[in-house]
Amino acid sequence: MKQLGIDNFSGKRVWIIGASSGIGEACANALLKLGAKVALSSRRQERLEQIARTAKPEQTLILPLDVTIQGQMTSAHQNILKNWGGVDLLLFVSGMYVPLRADNFDIYIAEQTIDANLLGPMRAVAAVLPGMLREHAGHIAIVGSVAGYSGLPKALAYGPSKAGIINFCETLYYDLLPQGVSVHMISPGFVATEATAQNDFEMPALITADQAASEILSGIEKGEFDIHFPKRFSGFLKFLRILPYPLYFWIVRRFVKI
Ligand SMILES: NC(=O)c1ccc[n+]([C@@H]2O[C@H](COP(=O)([O-])OP(=O)(O)OC[C@H]3O[C@@H](n4cnc5c(N)ncnc54)[C@H](OP(=O)(O)O)[C@@H]3O)[C@@H](O)[C@H]2O)c1
């Protein structure tokens, strides 16, 4: 059994959470151009309004929310149901990253990171699941990171939050495949966005947000579960994680300035 893709985005009801900048904004722009109906969510309402101005008024809904607040997630979803009757694709892109190492490990930032990056997607999935299961249709796409594959330096909270996304998607897949609902686990390498603009090192295999959006939409179109890019980088990290730990740690220490 193979999960379904989306062969034509025109008219599809897409809910993008984390649509105000970077990868999410690029996905929103691409989907609007393809004729999808896009519900735009994140905290910065003015940025969402700017994106909506490029499309026809009936093509967008602006639903500001903070992914850490359950009530805001639920009411945004209710708003989509009221206006459009359902969601064909949930595209959860939102995420936060604060570099954390042992010498600045801060439990408050760790809690915020897990709340936003792991519980946030779970809240969104909990909202759309009943409708998708009832219809035996729909797509759930969640942006994780190659940083979730195995431990990397400076990611004491971000890494575990993204590792959790991988496990969450894998586990969802068992239940949803027989129900006709597709799961797309998205693992980007380095993408030039506001989030990475603060990085003080040269990012290998860096791609643009538009390139990332095109990889994501093409993977969803084909019905892929494991959407990872750019392959020259994500493929290398996939290979590293199957190595024995002494070799893995040695290679990471060599490549990353620690
Ligand atoms: N850029 C990379 O190299 C890279 C690599 C691997 C994975 N990723 C992942 O890709 C995703 C997008 O990252 P990006 O690089 O495009 O970063 P970005 O430009 O900083 O975008 C992050 C998005 O998340 C939203 N967001 C953050 N916290 C939120 C909250 N509590 N509630 C609602 N929305 C929230 C932001 O909107 P508001 O501020 O308006 O709320 C924004 O739309 C993240 O999950 C990130 O971990 C990025």
Side-chain angles (χ1 to χ4, degrees):
M1 197 189 294
K2 195 179 169 290
Q3 66 174 13
L4 295 175
I6 297 183
D7 49 20
N8 182 359
F9 285 103
S10 178
K12 290 286 180 305
R13 301 159 299 178
V14 184
W15 185 13
I16 305 184
I17 302 180
S20 59
S21 64
I23 300 172
E25 178 182 12
C27 287
N29 288 329
L31 282 162
L32 288 169
K33 274 199 198 105
L34 291 169
K37 293 162 92 164
V38 184
L40 302 156
S41 288
S42 79
R43 293 164 301 182
R44 288 171 292 173
Q45 180 164 354
E46 65 291 351
R47 299 277 294 251
L48 303 176
E49 283 165 356
Q50 246 169 28
I51 297 167
R53 263 183 236 123
T54 64
K56 298 186 195 122
E58 67 278 11
Q59 236 187 316
T60 59
L61 289 175
I62 295 175
L63 306 171
L65 60 80
D66 184 322
V67 301
T68 65
I69 302 177
Q70 177 62 43
Q72 295 185 3
M73 188 70 82
T74 312
S75 56
H77 181 243
Q78 290 301 325
N79 203 320
I80 301 178
L81 292 186
K82 197 175 77 192
N83 283 281
W84 293 344
V87 174
D88 299 308
L89 166 64
L90 165 68
L91 180 50
F92 192 102
V93 192
S94 163
M96 63 170 281
Y97 169 64
V98 177
L100 278 186
R101 305 194 59 159
D103 60 4
N104 71 338
F105 189 59
D106 178 327
I107 194 61
Y108 176 65
I109 295 173
E111 278 176 6
Q112 278 185 321
T113 306
I114 299 293
D115 200 355
N117 292 4
L118 183 56
L119 293 177
M122 287 181 170
R123 291 185 183 99
V125 168
V128 300
L129 266 182
M132 289 185 178
L133 287 172
R134 205 170 38 244
E135 302 288 325
H136 294 286
H139 297 256
I140 292 175
I142 305 178
V143 174
S145 169
V146 294
Y149 287 170
S150 35
L152 291 172
K154 296 191 197 169
L156 267 180
Y158 183 77
S161 76
K162 295 298 188 177
I165 288 300
I166 293 175
N167 197 294
F168 182 54
C169 289
E170 289 167 349
T171 308
L172 262 182
Y173 182 81
Y174 295 117
D175 292 344
L176 298 188
L177 181 68
Q179 297 297 327
V181 179
S182 302
V183 180
H184 309 280
M185 176 181 78
I186 300 161
S187 309
F190 287 110
V191 183
T193 64
E194 286 170 25
T196 48
Q198 56 183 332
N199 286 350
D200 57 359
F201 56 90
E202 199 176 317
M203 291 174 270
L206 183 70
I207 59 169
T208 65
D210 286 339
Q211 286 172 312
S214 141
E215 294 275 2
I216 290 170
L217 298 192
S218 137
I220 294 174
E221 209 174 307
K222 291 182 209 137
E224 288 174 358
F225 168 75
D226 185 12
I227 302 174
H228 61 98
F229 54 84
K231 297 278 187 300
R232 61 191 186 281
F233 186 61
S234 52
F236 177 60
L237 288 174
K238 270 177 183 283
F239 163 70
L240 286 189
R241 73 175 167 173
I242 61 170
L243 296 177
Y245 276 126
L247 193 52
Y248 172 76
F249 289 137
W250 182 80
I251 292 173
V252 172
R253 278 180 184 282
R254 256 194 80 127
F255 278 90
V256 184
K257 232 197 285 166
I258 303 185

